[in-house]
Amino acid sequence: MKCEVIRDLIPLYEEELCSQASRELVEAHVVGCGECRALLLDQGGPILAKVSKRDGESRQGAGRKEDVEMNRKALQPFRKVKRAYNLRILIAMLLIPFLVFGYAEVSGNSLIRAAKGIYMADRYFDGLVEGDHAKAVRYLEFTGGRYGEAGVPFADARERYSDALEGLEGMGLRFTGFDATPDEYDSMGNDDGFTSGYVEVTAEWEGKPYNLLFWVSAQGKKIDIGLVEVLDTGEGEGSPALEELLDRLLVTYFPG
C-alpha cells in the first residue's frame, strides 16, 4: 500500500471514521514504514505500545504531519455530521419505548395496565392483611357502587369503607394472606382496555380458615371490588353467611 494512501487514512483512523478493514491496513503498513509510523505516533494512535518513536523526528515526517493536520481540518464538517447522526440515533432509541407503551395505552392492549392493576391489588390486600385500613382504602375507586353513590362525597365514602373494615375486625374476621396471580384462576389481565382478574385471599373467622375469591377490576387509576366469593374452609365447605357479609360490606362496584 502506498504511503500517500495511508497518510490520507491516518486522520480517519485517529477519529475512528474509517472501516475496520482500513484500520487494519494502516496498522499493518506502519509496522514496516517508519515515516508513516511517526505520523501515527504523533497523532496519538492506539499502537503506541507496538512501535518505536525513534524515526518520528525526520524533516519529511514533520512535513507529512502538516498534511495530516490539513486533512483533519477538512474532516471537521464530517465529524459534526457524524455526531449529529449519532445523537439522532440515541434520541430515537430513547423515544421508541415511550412510543410503544403510549400506543399500547391508547389502544387498550397494554401489559402496563395489567401490571398496574396487580400492583394496586397488592397494595389493597396488603392493607387488609396488615389491618392498615387507611392503606387499603387509598387504592379503591369509589364510583359506580354502594360506596360511590351519587351525592356521597369521596371522603365520606372512604370513611364508610374504613368503618366497614373495622366492623369486620370487630366480628372476628382476620385476613391472613393473598395471591394476586393465582394459577387456578384468571390473574389480573388486560382485555380490550378493561383490566380485571381474581385475587385469592385466606382468612380466619369463628375459629375456621377460609379461602376467599375477590374479583378485582382496574379501569382507572384505582381498583374496584366487584365480587367476593367464599370458596371453602379448607375442609370442603363454604359459608353463605360469611359470603353475604363480605359482599355487603366490601364490594365497591358492580359491572354491568
PDB file of all heavy atoms in Angstrom, residues 50-84:
ATOM      1  N   LYS A  50       3.272  -0.801  20.402  1.00  0.00           N
ATOM      2  CA  LYS A  50       3.801  -1.789  19.470  1.00  0.00           C
ATOM      3  C   LYS A  50       5.033  -1.283  18.702  1.00  0.00           C
ATOM      4  O   LYS A  50       5.822  -2.062  18.197  1.00  0.00           O
ATOM      5  CB  LYS A  50       2.731  -2.194  18.453  1.00  0.00           C
ATOM      6  CG  LYS A  50       1.502  -2.838  19.075  1.00  0.00           C
ATOM      7  CD  LYS A  50       0.514  -3.198  17.981  1.00  0.00           C
ATOM      8  CE  LYS A  50      -0.750  -3.807  18.561  1.00  0.00           C
ATOM      9  NZ  LYS A  50      -1.733  -4.134  17.517  1.00  0.00           N
ATOM     10  N   VAL A  51       5.137   0.018  18.561  1.00  0.00           N
ATOM     11  CA  VAL A  51       6.178   0.553  17.688  1.00  0.00           C
ATOM     12  C   VAL A  51       7.011   1.584  18.424  1.00  0.00           C
ATOM     13  O   VAL A  51       6.620   2.115  19.457  1.00  0.00           O
ATOM     14  CB  VAL A  51       5.560   1.177  16.416  1.00  0.00           C
ATOM     15  CG1 VAL A  51       4.863   0.125  15.587  1.00  0.00           C
ATOM     16  CG2 VAL A  51       4.616   2.288  16.789  1.00  0.00           C
ATOM     17  N   SER A  52       8.171   1.926  17.867  1.00  0.00           N
ATOM     18  CA  SER A  52       9.082   2.885  18.482  1.00  0.00           C
ATOM     19  C   SER A  52       8.912   4.247  17.837  1.00  0.00           C
ATOM     20  O   SER A  52       8.529   4.352  16.679  1.00  0.00           O
ATOM     21  CB  SER A  52      10.525   2.399  18.310  1.00  0.00           C
ATOM     22  OG  SER A  52      11.430   3.424  18.674  1.00  0.00           O
ATOM     23  N   LYS A  53       9.242   5.299  18.566  1.00  0.00           N
ATOM     24  CA  LYS A  53       9.117   6.657  18.057  1.00  0.00           C
ATOM     25  C   LYS A  53      10.462   7.214  17.564  1.00  0.00           C
ATOM     26  O   LYS A  53      10.600   8.392  17.281  1.00  0.00           O
ATOM     27  CB  LYS A  53       8.564   7.553  19.178  1.00  0.00           C
ATOM     28  CG  LYS A  53       7.984   8.876  18.676  1.00  0.00           C
ATOM     29  CD  LYS A  53       7.389   9.675  19.824  1.00  0.00           C
ATOM     30  CE  LYS A  53       6.808  10.969  19.314  1.00  0.00           C
ATOM     31  NZ  LYS A  53       6.235  11.799  20.363  1.00  0.00           N
ATOM     32  N   ARG A  54      11.452   6.377  17.450  1.00  0.00           N
ATOM     33  CA  ARG A  54      12.795   6.879  17.136  1.00  0.00           C
ATOM     34  C   ARG A  54      12.908   7.485  15.747  1.00  0.00           C
ATOM     35  O   ARG A  54      13.813   8.280  15.496  1.00  0.00           O
ATOM     36  CB  ARG A  54      13.812   5.748  17.285  1.00  0.00           C
ATOM     37  CG  ARG A  54      13.587   4.565  16.363  1.00  0.00           C
ATOM     38  CD  ARG A  54      14.653   3.484  16.583  1.00  0.00           C
ATOM     39  NE  ARG A  54      14.421   2.331  15.736  1.00  0.00           N
ATOM     40  CZ  ARG A  54      13.672   1.308  16.074  1.00  0.00           C
ATOM     41  NH1 ARG A  54      13.057   1.316  17.261  1.00  0.00           N
ATOM     42  NH2 ARG A  54      13.514   0.281  15.268  1.00  0.00           N
ATOM     43  N   ASP A  55      11.981   7.101  14.815  1.00  0.00           N
ATOM     44  CA  ASP A  55      12.073   7.637  13.458  1.00  0.00           C
ATOM     45  C   ASP A  55      11.134   8.819  13.248  1.00  0.00           C
ATOM     46  O   ASP A  55      10.949   9.276  12.122  1.00  0.00           O
ATOM     47  CB  ASP A  55      11.722   6.554  12.433  1.00  0.00           C
ATOM     48  CG  ASP A  55      12.696   5.385  12.508  1.00  0.00           C
ATOM     49  OD1 ASP A  55      13.889   5.659  12.728  1.00  0.00           O
ATOM     50  OD2 ASP A  55      12.247   4.245  12.340  1.00  0.00           O
ATOM     51  N   GLY A  56      10.506   9.324  14.292  1.00  0.00           N
ATOM     52  CA  GLY A  56       9.447  10.320  14.118  1.00  0.00           C
ATOM     53  C   GLY A  56       9.917  11.740  14.039  1.00  0.00           C
ATOM     54  O   GLY A  56       9.083  12.641  14.009  1.00  0.00           O
ATOM     55  N   GLU A  57      11.231  12.000  14.070  1.00  0.00           N
ATOM     56  CA  GLU A  57      11.718  13.370  14.076  1.00  0.00           C
ATOM     57  C   GLU A  57      12.269  13.823  12.738  1.00  0.00           C
ATOM     58  O   GLU A  57      12.871  14.894  12.639  1.00  0.00           O
ATOM     59  CB  GLU A  57      12.821  13.517  15.143  1.00  0.00           C
ATOM     60  CG  GLU A  57      12.380  13.124  16.544  1.00  0.00           C
ATOM     61  CD  GLU A  57      11.240  14.010  17.017  1.00  0.00           C
ATOM     62  OE1 GLU A  57      11.187  15.180  16.558  1.00  0.00           O
ATOM     63  OE2 GLU A  57      10.412  13.554  17.799  1.00  0.00           O
ATOM     64  N   SER A  58      12.107  13.044  11.707  1.00  0.00           N
ATOM     65  CA  SER A  58      12.679  13.401  10.412  1.00  0.00           C
ATOM     66  C   SER A  58      11.970  14.602   9.820  1.00  0.00           C
ATOM     67  O   SER A  58      10.817  14.873  10.103  1.00  0.00           O
ATOM     68  CB  SER A  58      12.573  12.215   9.441  1.00  0.00           C
ATOM     69  OG  SER A  58      11.230  11.973   9.141  1.00  0.00           O
ATOM     70  N   ARG A  59      12.695  15.338   8.974  1.00  0.00           N
ATOM     71  CA  ARG A  59      12.111  16.526   8.342  1.00  0.00           C
ATOM     72  C   ARG A  59      10.920  16.163   7.485  1.00  0.00           C
ATOM     73  O   ARG A  59       9.927  16.862   7.441  1.00  0.00           O
ATOM     74  CB  ARG A  59      13.200  17.216   7.486  1.00  0.00           C
ATOM     75  CG  ARG A  59      12.754  18.536   6.854  1.00  0.00           C
ATOM     76  CD  ARG A  59      13.871  19.156   6.080  1.00  0.00           C
ATOM     77  NE  ARG A  59      15.069  19.323   6.930  1.00  0.00           N
ATOM     78  CZ  ARG A  59      16.244  19.713   6.461  1.00  0.00           C
ATOM     79  NH1 ARG A  59      16.403  19.959   5.169  1.00  0.00           N
ATOM     80  NH2 ARG A  59      17.284  19.847   7.287  1.00  0.00           N
ATOM     81  N   GLN A  60      11.033  15.054   6.758  1.00  0.00           N
ATOM     82  CA  GLN A  60       9.924  14.652   5.889  1.00  0.00           C
ATOM     83  C   GLN A  60       8.696  14.296   6.735  1.00  0.00           C
ATOM     84  O   GLN A  60       7.574  14.616   6.384  1.00  0.00           O
ATOM     85  CB  GLN A  60      10.335  13.445   5.039  1.00  0.00           C
ATOM     86  CG  GLN A  60       9.276  13.058   4.002  1.00  0.00           C
ATOM     87  CD  GLN A  60       9.768  11.930   3.119  1.00  0.00           C
ATOM     88  OE1 GLN A  60      10.849  11.407   3.325  1.00  0.00           O
ATOM     89  NE2 GLN A  60       8.981  11.588   2.123  1.00  0.00           N
ATOM     90  N   GLY A  61       8.974  13.661   7.884  1.00  0.00           N
ATOM     91  CA  GLY A  61       7.857  13.326   8.767  1.00  0.00           C
ATOM     92  C   GLY A  61       7.157  14.572   9.262  1.00  0.00           C
ATOM     93  O   GLY A  61       5.938  14.619   9.390  1.00  0.00           O
ATOM     94  N   ALA A  62       7.938  15.628   9.563  1.00  0.00           N
ATOM     95  CA  ALA A  62       7.321  16.871  10.025  1.00  0.00           C
ATOM     96  C   ALA A  62       6.435  17.471   8.940  1.00  0.00           C
ATOM     97  O   ALA A  62       5.358  17.994   9.208  1.00  0.00           O
ATOM     98  CB  ALA A  62       8.425  17.854  10.427  1.00  0.00           C
ATOM     99  N   GLY A  63       6.907  17.387   7.689  1.00  0.00           N
ATOM    100  CA  GLY A  63       6.083  17.908   6.592  1.00  0.00           C
ATOM    101  C   GLY A  63       4.802  17.114   6.444  1.00  0.00           C
ATOM    102  O   GLY A  63       3.728  17.670   6.184  1.00  0.00           O
ATOM    103  N   ARG A  64       4.916  15.808   6.606  1.00  0.00           N
ATOM    104  CA  ARG A  64       3.710  14.970   6.491  1.00  0.00           C
ATOM    105  C   ARG A  64       2.733  15.261   7.623  1.00  0.00           C
ATOM    106  O   ARG A  64       1.524  15.149   7.464  1.00  0.00           O
ATOM    107  CB  ARG A  64       4.114  13.494   6.519  1.00  0.00           C
ATOM    108  CG  ARG A  64       4.888  13.061   5.281  1.00  0.00           C
ATOM    109  CD  ARG A  64       4.070  13.286   4.017  1.00  0.00           C
ATOM    110  NE  ARG A  64       4.755  12.840   2.825  1.00  0.00           N
ATOM    111  CZ  ARG A  64       4.296  12.978   1.594  1.00  0.00           C
ATOM    112  NH1 ARG A  64       3.152  13.607   1.389  1.00  0.00           N
ATOM    113  NH2 ARG A  64       4.988  12.534   0.564  1.00  0.00           N
ATOM    114  N   LYS A  65       3.277  15.621   8.790  1.00  0.00           N
ATOM    115  CA  LYS A  65       2.409  15.973   9.913  1.00  0.00           C
ATOM    116  C   LYS A  65       1.526  17.167   9.558  1.00  0.00           C
ATOM    117  O   LYS A  65       0.342  17.234   9.927  1.00  0.00           O
ATOM    118  CB  LYS A  65       3.261  16.285  11.141  1.00  0.00           C
ATOM    119  CG  LYS A  65       2.450  16.613  12.381  1.00  0.00           C
ATOM    120  CD  LYS A  65       3.358  16.844  13.572  1.00  0.00           C
ATOM    121  CE  LYS A  65       2.522  17.203  14.791  1.00  0.00           C
ATOM    122  NZ  LYS A  65       3.387  17.447  15.975  1.00  0.00           N
ATOM    123  N   GLU A  66       2.103  18.137   8.827  1.00  0.00           N
ATOM    124  CA  GLU A  66       1.315  19.286   8.391  1.00  0.00           C
ATOM    125  C   GLU A  66       0.201  18.844   7.454  1.00  0.00           C
ATOM    126  O   GLU A  66      -0.927  19.355   7.510  1.00  0.00           O
ATOM    127  CB  GLU A  66       2.213  20.301   7.697  1.00  0.00           C
ATOM    128  CG  GLU A  66       3.238  20.945   8.631  1.00  0.00           C
ATOM    129  CD  GLU A  66       4.129  21.921   7.896  1.00  0.00           C
ATOM    130  OE1 GLU A  66       3.924  22.086   6.666  1.00  0.00           O
ATOM    131  OE2 GLU A  66       5.006  22.520   8.527  1.00  0.00           O
ATOM    132  N   ASP A  67       0.506  17.881   6.578  1.00  0.00           N
ATOM    133  CA  ASP A  67      -0.528  17.362   5.675  1.00  0.00           C
ATOM    134  C   ASP A  67      -1.659  16.713   6.457  1.00  0.00           C
ATOM    135  O   ASP A  67      -2.849  16.876   6.140  1.00  0.00           O
ATOM    136  CB  ASP A  67       0.077  16.336   4.707  1.00  0.00           C
ATOM    137  CG  ASP A  67       1.066  16.989   3.735  1.00  0.00           C
ATOM    138  OD1 ASP A  67       0.962  18.229   3.559  1.00  0.00           O
ATOM    139  OD2 ASP A  67       1.911  16.263   3.181  1.00  0.00           O
ATOM    140  N   VAL A  68      -1.265  15.967   7.472  1.00  0.00           N
ATOM    141  CA  VAL A  68      -2.281  15.303   8.294  1.00  0.00           C
ATOM    142  C   VAL A  68      -3.169  16.328   8.991  1.00  0.00           C
ATOM    143  O   VAL A  68      -4.388  16.176   9.078  1.00  0.00           O
ATOM    144  CB  VAL A  68      -1.615  14.367   9.334  1.00  0.00           C
ATOM    145  CG1 VAL A  68      -2.627  13.867  10.348  1.00  0.00           C
ATOM    146  CG2 VAL A  68      -0.951  13.190   8.626  1.00  0.00           C
ATOM    147  N   GLU A  69      -2.546  17.404   9.486  1.00  0.00           N
ATOM    148  CA  GLU A  69      -3.311  18.440  10.166  1.00  0.00           C
ATOM    149  C   GLU A  69      -4.301  19.096   9.204  1.00  0.00           C
ATOM    150  O   GLU A  69      -5.454  19.384   9.575  1.00  0.00           O
ATOM    151  CB  GLU A  69      -2.364  19.491  10.736  1.00  0.00           C
ATOM    152  CG  GLU A  69      -3.062  20.565  11.576  1.00  0.00           C
ATOM    153  CD  GLU A  69      -3.702  19.972  12.804  1.00  0.00           C
ATOM    154  OE1 GLU A  69      -3.239  18.925  13.288  1.00  0.00           O
ATOM    155  OE2 GLU A  69      -4.711  20.556  13.271  1.00  0.00           O
ATOM    156  N   MET A  70      -3.888  19.323   7.956  1.00  0.00           N
ATOM    157  CA  MET A  70      -4.797  19.889   6.959  1.00  0.00           C
ATOM    158  C   MET A  70      -5.957  18.938   6.689  1.00  0.00           C
ATOM    159  O   MET A  70      -7.111  19.351   6.562  1.00  0.00           O
ATOM    160  CB  MET A  70      -4.024  20.176   5.666  1.00  0.00           C
ATOM    161  CG  MET A  70      -2.993  21.312   5.796  1.00  0.00           C
ATOM    162  SD  MET A  70      -2.058  21.572   4.271  1.00  0.00           S
ATOM    163  CE  MET A  70      -3.378  21.984   3.148  1.00  0.00           C
ATOM    164  N   ASN A  71      -5.649  17.643   6.610  1.00  0.00           N
ATOM    165  CA  ASN A  71      -6.720  16.654   6.390  1.00  0.00           C
ATOM    166  C   ASN A  71      -7.702  16.633   7.563  1.00  0.00           C
ATOM    167  O   ASN A  71      -8.906  16.476   7.378  1.00  0.00           O
ATOM    168  CB  ASN A  71      -6.123  15.260   6.194  1.00  0.00           C
ATOM    169  CG  ASN A  71      -5.423  15.115   4.862  1.00  0.00           C
ATOM    170  OD1 ASN A  71      -5.709  15.869   3.928  1.00  0.00           O
ATOM    171  ND2 ASN A  71      -4.490  14.172   4.754  1.00  0.00           N
ATOM    172  N   ARG A  72      -7.152  16.799   8.779  1.00  0.00           N
ATOM    173  CA  ARG A  72      -8.028  16.793   9.939  1.00  0.00           C
ATOM    174  C   ARG A  72      -9.009  17.961   9.890  1.00  0.00           C
ATOM    175  O   ARG A  72     -10.190  17.817  10.219  1.00  0.00           O
ATOM    176  CB  ARG A  72      -7.185  16.877  11.219  1.00  0.00           C
ATOM    177  CG  ARG A  72      -8.055  16.839  12.489  1.00  0.00           C
ATOM    178  CD  ARG A  72      -7.244  17.048  13.756  1.00  0.00           C
ATOM    179  NE  ARG A  72      -6.363  15.921  13.987  1.00  0.00           N
ATOM    180  CZ  ARG A  72      -5.048  15.957  13.821  1.00  0.00           C
ATOM    181  NH1 ARG A  72      -4.476  17.081  13.402  1.00  0.00           N
ATOM    182  NH2 ARG A  72      -4.304  14.913  14.049  1.00  0.00           N
ATOM    183  N   LYS A  73      -8.498  19.142   9.521  1.00  0.00           N
ATOM    184  CA  LYS A  73      -9.379  20.306   9.423  1.00  0.00           C
ATOM    185  C   LYS A  73     -10.443  20.109   8.361  1.00  0.00           C
ATOM    186  O   LYS A  73     -11.595  20.520   8.520  1.00  0.00           O
ATOM    187  CB  LYS A  73      -8.561  21.556   9.117  1.00  0.00           C
ATOM    188  CG  LYS A  73      -7.646  21.976  10.268  1.00  0.00           C
ATOM    189  CD  LYS A  73      -6.851  23.216   9.903  1.00  0.00           C
ATOM    190  CE  LYS A  73      -5.946  23.634  11.063  1.00  0.00           C
ATOM    191  NZ  LYS A  73      -5.131  24.823  10.719  1.00  0.00           N
ATOM    192  N   ALA A  74     -10.067  19.439   7.281  1.00  0.00           N
ATOM    193  CA  ALA A  74     -11.043  19.185   6.216  1.00  0.00           C
ATOM    194  C   ALA A  74     -12.136  18.237   6.672  1.00  0.00           C
ATOM    195  O   ALA A  74     -13.257  18.252   6.151  1.00  0.00           O
ATOM    196  CB  ALA A  74     -10.335  18.608   4.983  1.00  0.00           C
ATOM    197  N   LEU A  75     -11.800  17.413   7.679  1.00  0.00           N
ATOM    198  CA  LEU A  75     -12.773  16.420   8.164  1.00  0.00           C
ATOM    199  C   LEU A  75     -13.732  16.985   9.202  1.00  0.00           C
ATOM    200  O   LEU A  75     -14.686  16.306   9.590  1.00  0.00           O
ATOM    201  CB  LEU A  75     -12.031  15.220   8.774  1.00  0.00           C
ATOM    202  CG  LEU A  75     -11.380  14.256   7.788  1.00  0.00           C
ATOM    203  CD1 LEU A  75     -10.503  13.272   8.532  1.00  0.00           C
ATOM    204  CD2 LEU A  75     -12.434  13.527   6.970  1.00  0.00           C
ATOM    205  N   GLN A  76     -13.485  18.189   9.701  1.00  0.00           N
ATOM    206  CA  GLN A  76     -14.316  18.737  10.763  1.00  0.00           C
ATOM    207  C   GLN A  76     -15.808  18.712  10.441  1.00  0.00           C
ATOM    208  O   GLN A  76     -16.624  18.306  11.277  1.00  0.00           O
ATOM    209  CB  GLN A  76     -13.872  20.170  11.085  1.00  0.00           C
ATOM    210  CG  GLN A  76     -12.562  20.276  11.846  1.00  0.00           C
ATOM    211  CD  GLN A  76     -12.651  19.673  13.234  1.00  0.00           C
ATOM    212  OE1 GLN A  76     -13.731  19.539  13.794  1.00  0.00           O
ATOM    213  NE2 GLN A  76     -11.499  19.284  13.773  1.00  0.00           N
ATOM    214  N   PRO A  77     -16.240  19.150   9.232  1.00  0.00           N
ATOM    215  CA  PRO A  77     -17.681  19.107   8.940  1.00  0.00           C
ATOM    216  C   PRO A  77     -18.249  17.691   9.005  1.00  0.00           C
ATOM    217  O   PRO A  77     -19.387  17.487   9.445  1.00  0.00           O
ATOM    218  CB  PRO A  77     -17.771  19.689   7.513  1.00  0.00           C
ATOM    219  CG  PRO A  77     -16.524  20.490   7.356  1.00  0.00           C
ATOM    220  CD  PRO A  77     -15.473  19.760   8.132  1.00  0.00           C
ATOM    221  N   PHE A  78     -17.451  16.713   8.567  1.00  0.00           N
ATOM    222  CA  PHE A  78     -17.940  15.343   8.588  1.00  0.00           C
ATOM    223  C   PHE A  78     -18.076  14.825  10.018  1.00  0.00           C
ATOM    224  O   PHE A  78     -18.964  14.035  10.332  1.00  0.00           O
ATOM    225  CB  PHE A  78     -17.000  14.436   7.784  1.00  0.00           C
ATOM    226  CG  PHE A  78     -16.932  14.795   6.335  1.00  0.00           C
ATOM    227  CD1 PHE A  78     -15.880  15.558   5.844  1.00  0.00           C
ATOM    228  CD2 PHE A  78     -17.925  14.397   5.457  1.00  0.00           C
ATOM    229  CE1 PHE A  78     -15.821  15.898   4.506  1.00  0.00           C
ATOM    230  CE2 PHE A  78     -17.869  14.732   4.112  1.00  0.00           C
ATOM    231  CZ  PHE A  78     -16.820  15.489   3.627  1.00  0.00           C
ATOM    232  N   ARG A  79     -17.172  15.262  10.910  1.00  0.00           N
ATOM    233  CA  ARG A  79     -17.286  14.856  12.305  1.00  0.00           C
ATOM    234  C   ARG A  79     -18.568  15.394  12.918  1.00  0.00           C
ATOM    235  O   ARG A  79     -19.243  14.719  13.685  1.00  0.00           O
ATOM    236  CB  ARG A  79     -16.078  15.383  13.087  1.00  0.00           C
ATOM    237  CG  ARG A  79     -14.761  14.761  12.674  1.00  0.00           C
ATOM    238  CD  ARG A  79     -13.616  15.461  13.365  1.00  0.00           C
ATOM    239  NE  ARG A  79     -12.339  15.096  12.806  1.00  0.00           N
ATOM    240  CZ  ARG A  79     -11.221  15.780  12.971  1.00  0.00           C
ATOM    241  NH1 ARG A  79     -11.235  16.893  13.690  1.00  0.00           N
ATOM    242  NH2 ARG A  79     -10.084  15.363  12.433  1.00  0.00           N
ATOM    243  N   LYS A  80     -18.901  16.646  12.586  1.00  0.00           N
ATOM    244  CA  LYS A  80     -20.126  17.233  13.105  1.00  0.00           C
ATOM    245  C   LYS A  80     -21.349  16.466  12.608  1.00  0.00           C
ATOM    246  O   LYS A  80     -22.295  16.228  13.354  1.00  0.00           O
ATOM    247  CB  LYS A  80     -20.229  18.703  12.694  1.00  0.00           C
ATOM    248  CG  LYS A  80     -19.172  19.589  13.333  1.00  0.00           C
ATOM    249  CD  LYS A  80     -19.317  21.031  12.883  1.00  0.00           C
ATOM    250  CE  LYS A  80     -18.247  21.918  13.516  1.00  0.00           C
ATOM    251  NZ  LYS A  80     -18.365  23.322  13.063  1.00  0.00           N
ATOM    252  N   VAL A  81     -21.316  16.084  11.337  1.00  0.00           N
ATOM    253  CA  VAL A  81     -22.424  15.302  10.779  1.00  0.00           C
ATOM    254  C   VAL A  81     -22.556  13.976  11.506  1.00  0.00           C
ATOM    255  O   VAL A  81     -23.656  13.524  11.855  1.00  0.00           O
ATOM    256  CB  VAL A  81     -22.226  15.075   9.267  1.00  0.00           C
ATOM    257  CG1 VAL A  81     -23.243  14.080   8.735  1.00  0.00           C
ATOM    258  CG2 VAL A  81     -22.346  16.401   8.517  1.00  0.00           C
ATOM    259  N   LYS A  82     -21.399  13.338  11.769  1.00  0.00           N
ATOM    260  CA  LYS A  82     -21.429  12.044  12.451  1.00  0.00           C
ATOM    261  C   LYS A  82     -21.986  12.184  13.863  1.00  0.00           C
ATOM    262  O   LYS A  82     -22.798  11.377  14.316  1.00  0.00           O
ATOM    263  CB  LYS A  82     -20.027  11.449  12.506  1.00  0.00           C
ATOM    264  CG  LYS A  82     -19.992  10.075  13.167  1.00  0.00           C
ATOM    265  CD  LYS A  82     -18.588   9.521  13.219  1.00  0.00           C
ATOM    266  CE  LYS A  82     -18.572   8.165  13.910  1.00  0.00           C
ATOM    267  NZ  LYS A  82     -17.218   7.602  14.016  1.00  0.00           N
ATOM    268  N   ARG A  83     -21.547  13.236  14.584  1.00  0.00           N
ATOM    269  CA  ARG A  83     -22.043  13.448  15.936  1.00  0.00           C
ATOM    270  C   ARG A  83     -23.548  13.707  15.941  1.00  0.00           C
ATOM    271  O   ARG A  83     -24.281  13.199  16.788  1.00  0.00           O
ATOM    272  CB  ARG A  83     -21.308  14.622  16.584  1.00  0.00           C
ATOM    273  CG  ARG A  83     -19.824  14.367  16.836  1.00  0.00           C
ATOM    274  CD  ARG A  83     -19.217  15.444  17.709  1.00  0.00           C
ATOM    275  NE  ARG A  83     -17.781  15.305  17.793  1.00  0.00           N
ATOM    276  CZ  ARG A  83     -16.908  16.028  17.113  1.00  0.00           C
ATOM    277  NH1 ARG A  83     -17.355  16.963  16.271  1.00  0.00           N
ATOM    278  NH2 ARG A  83     -15.612  15.846  17.246  1.00  0.00           N
ATOM    279  N   ALA A  84     -24.014  14.533  14.987  1.00  0.00           N
ATOM    280  CA  ALA A  84     -25.445  14.812  14.899  1.00  0.00           C
ATOM    281  C   ALA A  84     -26.226  13.540  14.583  1.00  0.00           C
ATOM    282  O   ALA A  84     -27.311  13.303  15.128  1.00  0.00           O
ATOM    283  CB  ALA A  84     -25.705  15.877  13.827  1.00  0.00           C
TER     284      ALA A  84
END
